[in-house]
Amino acid sequence: MTAPSSLLTDLPSDLDASSLPRHVAVIMDGNGRWAQQRQAPRVMGHRKGVDALKALLRCFKDWGIPALTAYAFSTENWGRPLEEVDFLMVLFERVLRAELKELIREDVRIRFVGDRTQLRPSLQSEIAGAMQATAHNQGVQFTVAINYGSREEIVRACRRIALEVQQGNLNPAEIDEKLFAQHLYTHDLEDPDLLIRTSGEQRLSNYLLWQMAYTEQYFTSTLWPDFDRAAFHKALLSYQERHRRFGRL
Ligand code: IPE
Ligand code: IPE
Ligand code: MG
């Protein structure tokens, strides 16, 4: 007799369904090292990394976690060798094209944060098409950070706010945290409850600096292509042991 398939997809019994994070941010790090450990070119790790991301997204649906935001390319990643940058840009475009139907079928809403104007036009139009085609989906809210950097995001918000003041549409006294956050790429997302970074690095690398003021952080030495359901389960167990105080007692 085979076990009912629901057993494979159910939330593990040692996790409390009532205190899961609502929004998880991930820094998908370690693709290059994963490949190098196998004497393979770094880009092989990026390919495998896509598979890990797809599996994680499915897990969010199965376990009822509403939002995932994944760091795919930072504003600093342009400094990598041209072949790797080109490979990544082509990979993003291909994956988007290949996976759009599945995203629609799975009721995923995909969005992007970062400066899209610097991406190649074909990728920009793939991104616009995917956002439009999934705009009304109610399932997992999946955000991909491409050409994203927190400092760029914050400076851009300042510039936009300054312009509104200059045009006489905004009084400086009205600028508060809420208004500022409305000018960030993430204006329609809640702040993350949990950050996961793989590969053993313990830094934020210019990711969601404003948004993560009170985010719980989880670091694991697992390389991103190996980050599977069991690894995510461990991260959630760690999250559920925390006592979030937000400055209170
Ligand atoms: C993360 O993996 C993916 C991107 C930054 C695009 P890396 O490519 O940074 O892999 P490592 O850190 O060099 O192993
Ligand atoms: C952060 O990883 C960016 C992404 C995962 C897209 P990096 O590998 O670029 O970060 P650093 O350079 O180690 O800080
Ligand atoms: Mg890295």
Side-chain angles (χ1 to χ4, degrees):
M1 231 174 77
T2 51
S5 62
S6 65
L7 285 182
L8 301 171
T9 56
D10 282 352
L11 186 70
S13 57
D14 53 1
L15 286 173
D16 174 4
S18 69
S19 63
L20 288 169
R22 294 187 46 77
H23 179 189
V24 179
V26 292
I27 301 178
M28 311 186 285
D29 199 12
N31 292 349
R33 278 164 282 170
W34 184 92
Q36 277 159 348
Q37 285 177 0
R38 288 159 180 76
Q39 276 79 48
R42 287 178 53 85
V43 295
M44 271 296 292
H46 297 317
R47 278 219 188 89
K48 279 286 170 189
V50 173
D51 295 339
L53 182 58
K54 275 159 61 179
L56 185 65
L57 192 56
R58 184 165 294 273
C59 189
F60 271 59
K61 182 184 180 173
D62 290 344
W63 293 357
I65 301 174
L68 168 65
T69 298
Y71 207 2
F73 193 89
S74 74
T75 47
E76 288 72 30
N77 287 148
W78 295 109
R80 294 189 178 199
L82 191 62
E83 309 89 74
E84 182 166 340
V85 170
D86 277 349
F87 179 92
L88 284 167
M89 294 301 152
V90 171
L91 182 70
F92 297 150
E93 204 175 313
R94 277 208 200 123
V95 169
L96 262 183
R97 199 175 307 130
E99 299 299 327
L100 184 56
K101 275 206 183 100
E102 179 73 7
L103 292 174
I104 294 169
R105 193 166 32 212
E106 295 284 329
D107 203 25
V108 172
R109 177 173 185 187
I110 190 168
R111 278 178 282 198
F112 294 81
V113 291
D115 180 6
R116 296 206 293 274
T117 63
Q118 286 177 33
L119 304 176
R120 58 178 78 202
S122 50
L123 177 55
Q124 285 188 40
S125 68
E126 213 63 61
I127 284 175
M131 292 214 297
Q132 203 186 6
T134 64
H136 302 293
N137 289 357
Q138 300 288 315
V140 177
Q141 306 291 299
F142 176 38
T143 305
V144 186
I146 296 187
N147 191 23
Y148 175 86
S150 266
R151 289 182 170 181
E152 188 275 332
E153 176 184 44
I154 289 169
V155 169
R156 174 179 175 271
C158 291
R159 204 181 300 121
R160 293 186 164 212
I161 292 168
L163 211 62
E164 286 177 38
V165 171
Q166 190 187 40
Q167 290 164 347
N169 298 323
L170 182 67
N171 178 343
E174 293 171 294
I175 302 171
D176 59 10
E177 290 181 15
K178 188 160 172 264
L179 182 131
F180 193 82
Q182 281 164 357
H183 289 77
L184 298 173
Y185 292 119
T186 51
H187 56 87
D188 45 11
L189 284 175
E190 284 174 42
D191 289 343
D193 298 301
L194 172 65
L195 166 76
I196 297 172
R197 183 171 190 152
T198 55
S199 90
E201 310 300 349
Q202 304 195 359
R203 54 177 169 264
L204 297 179
S205 300
N206 205 9
Y207 192 40
L208 302 174
L209 301 182
W210 169 280
Q211 297 84 346
M212 296 208 291
Y214 270 102
T215 298
E216 295 297 327
Q217 305 184 358
Y218 178 83
F219 300 100
T220 170
S221 58
T222 301
L223 302 175
W224 177 255
D226 293 325
F227 191 81
D228 57 9
R229 242 169 227 246
F232 184 46
H233 179 193
K234 267 172 78 179
L236 292 176
L237 282 172
S238 167
Y239 174 79
Q240 293 201 327
E241 281 167 8
R242 320 261 180 113
H243 180 207
R244 302 182 74 189
R245 282 185 288 277
F246 302 98
R248 299 184 289 260
L249 293 181

